[in-house]
Amino acid sequence: MVERADSGAVAAETPVVPGVGKRRRGWVLAGVAVVLGGVLGFHRLVPNWPGRVGSLMESFLPWGGALVVVLLVVALVRRSAVALVALLLPVGVWVDTFGGLLLPGEEGGGRELVVVQHNVSDENRDPAGTARALADSGADLVALEELVDPQLAVYEKALAADYPHHVVRGTVGLWSKHPLSGEQVVDIKPRSIEVGWSRGLRAVVRSPYGDVAAYVAHLPSVRVGVGGLASQRRDESAALLGRAIAGESVEPVILLGDLNGVVEDRGLRPLTSQLALAENGFAFSFPAAFPMARIDQVMARSATVGHIRTLPATGSDHLPVVARVTLE
């Protein structure tokens, strides 16, 4: 007699296949690695809307290397071979894009100018100390932004001995060890900003190696909010500055300024498309308390910008950056 199965019996459990969960997690990590590599390598294809998301992502692009390290640690903990292989993609892209900045750079040649760029902050409580620190750099040119009264008079007095030549237009200025000529305002004011806003200048430096057109600029600030990155004014100002530099007749050209953007940011393409960038060094300059990005830039045309680095903190919320520019 065949016994009937007990209707209340518990159904047999589905057998568990060892390692299936780990393999799935490995493929997820591999997918994330491939996406990260694609973003690093093809960030220009990321749409800039809504909220200028492309520019926002590009502002922190070098930090993609930190994400690679995190994924590597997780892949090692999971012992996922497929994830480790996939990580070769973002590692290769990051090294190709930013690896050269880690190199020490070559020794400077004979036709060289040392330049310093610094947003000194209009709230700087120690302008005299800031000026002394900048003079101690031994730079040929010092570009400053956010020059306001009464601090401006302090900078002029403190820098006079080392830099007998200087020009100030609006809130930006240039101090030089070499004679200056052709000083003029460069109009980079966006249409939506009131009259009286002046943050651009141009002067010809009579260097020992010939004339050099020097530009100093402070582009409008950007803000990150719930709507994304507000950079319309900065982008418009960058376009105006790019147009002025494109029409410059004196060569070489050196641009120093707080551009409120990193060189990867597409909003600065009117400048980065025609000027050479620093070949070595990250020189994250902002914020001074915990630098996350270099928004203080040194660029050049008919010249090479060598190693760029930061100087110790001053009374500003920016760090000064110093670079060697070799003239062609």
Side-chain angles (χ1 to χ4, degrees), residues 174-197:
L174 177 68
W175 275 257
S176 174
K177 290 186 175 181
H178 313 297
L180 300 175
S181 64
E183 302 94 335
Q184 64 187 68
V185 170
V186 178
D187 185 7
I188 58 172
K189 184 181 75 66
R191 288 166 292 184
S192 60
I193 294 182
E194 64 276 6
V195 176
W197 188 96

Side-chain angles (χ1 to χ4, degrees), residues 33 37 68 82-95:
V68 172
V82 67
L84 289 172
V85 172
L87 276 167
L88 293 176
L89 174 62
V91 168
V93 174
W94 191 93
V95 170

Side-chain angles (χ1 to χ4, degrees), residues 212-238:
V212 177
Y215 285 75
V216 182
H218 183 190
L219 302 190
S221 300
V222 299
R223 295 289 184 268
V224 180
V226 293
L229 186 72
S231 64
Q232 295 92 329
R233 287 179 170 178
R234 191 278 313 272
D235 296 350
E236 182 182 349
S237 190

